Amino acid sequence: MKKIIPLLLSCLFILSACNKESKITCKLISDGLGVNDKSYNASAWEGILSFYGDSVGDEKYFGTLYDSTVCNNINQYDLVLRQVSEENLDVIVLISFSFQHALDTVAKDYPKQKYITIDGSPSINPNVHNYLFAAEEGSYLVGVCAAAQAIQEDVQNPKFGFIGGVKGDALEDFEIGYAMGIRSLLPDAKICVKYIGSWGRPDLAAKKASEWYNSGVYAIYSAAGMSGNGAIAQAVSQRISGKNVWAIGVDKDQYSEGAYGTGKSAVLTSMIKRVDVAVIEGLKSVQNGTFKPDSTVLTLKEGSVGFTTSNLDLKDAVIKLAYKKQAEIISGRFSVPANYKNKEEAQNIHKSLNIEEE
C-alpha cells in the first residue's frame, strides 16, 4: 500500500502536467480599464478563465497559459499588438472594434499567428476569426422593457437616454435597437444620445446621467464599458432619494452593480451579450485545429444576446411582452436592422428615428 500511494501521486502529477501541456497559450488585449470593468472586458476574461478551468480569484494558469494586457492609448495599438505577436502564442484575443485598424496592418506581418477578435469587422487576413453579436436584437428588447415599464408605472411623457462609449457602427447597433424598442410602444418618446468617447470615464457618464435624470429622463441604457457604471451609480443615488428612474445594464447582468437597500437595484434589466461564449468557442477552435478565417454572428436564437429578469420590480406584463417580441425576432417575423447586416438600411432607420444626439 505504501508503494501504491506514491505511484498514484506520481500519476496524478503526470496527468496534471499533460492537461496543462495540452492547453493552448493565449493573451487577451483590451482597451478601457482591462478585465476589471465589470462589463464587456470582464465577460471576455471569464470566458478565458472558464476555458482553462479557472475562475476569478483562482487563476492557476495565469501568466503561464494565459495572460492579459491593457492598451489605452490608440496611438500604441499597433506597437502593443506587434510586441504581443512576437511572443509565439497560439492565439491572441482582441476585445473591441477599436483594434481593427491596427490588426489589419499587423496580422499580415505575422501570418502564422492566429487572432480572435470580438466586435471587429470581417478581416482581409487569413489568420483572423471575428465574432459579432446581434446586439441590436438584445437592445431592442431592453428598449421594449424600458418603455413597457414606463407605461405600467403610468409615467407621463417619459424620456429615455442612451450613453455610448466610443462611437462606431457596433455601438450604433445598440443605439438603434434600443430606440426602435422604445418607439415600438411609445412612437413619440424623446430619446437622448451621448457618446462620451471613452470606455473608462465613469465620471463623464455619471455627470451626463445626473443631468438627464434631473431633466426628467426615465431610463438610461449605457453601452460604454466601465464608463457605464457611472450612469448606474447615478440611478442608485436618484432612487435612494425617491425618484422613479432606472438604469439599464449591458453585456453582463449588472443587477448587483445597481444594488441598494434590501433586495433592491436601480438596474431594471440588462442587455446580455455572451462575450464569454464567443471567446470560449474561439479558443476551442484553436485547440481543436478547426480555426479558420471567418466572421461569426451570435444572435438571440443561440441565446448569445437577450435581456435579464433579475429585478423583481420588472413587471410581469413587461417580461411577458419582451418574451413575445423575442419570439417574433427568433422566428424571423420581425428583424432589427444593424450596420453589419446592411449599413445603408441601418443608417436610414437611424435618421428616421430623429434621435437627439448631443
Side-chain angles (χ1 to χ4, degrees), residues 230-251:
I232 293 175
Q234 277 300 310
V236 170
S237 177
Q238 296 273 342
R239 289 195 69 82
I240 288 174
S241 69
K243 287 190 177 181
N244 183 26
V245 300
W246 294 106
I248 297 174
V250 74
D251 296 328

Side-chain angles (χ1 to χ4, degrees), residues 246-287:
W246 294 106
I248 297 174
V250 74
D251 296 328
K252 297 178 63 178
D253 186 351
Q254 293 194 296
Y255 175 89
S256 61
E257 298 308 311
Y260 68 96
T262 302
K264 293 289 184 180
S265 175
V267 174
L268 180 67
T269 183
S270 298
M271 199 289 280
I272 290 296
K273 182 176 170 185
R274 296 300 303 273
V275 179
D276 57 332
V277 169
V279 170
I280 291 170
E281 288 303 308
L283 295 179
K284 282 182 178 178
S285 73
V286 176
Q287 176 89 352

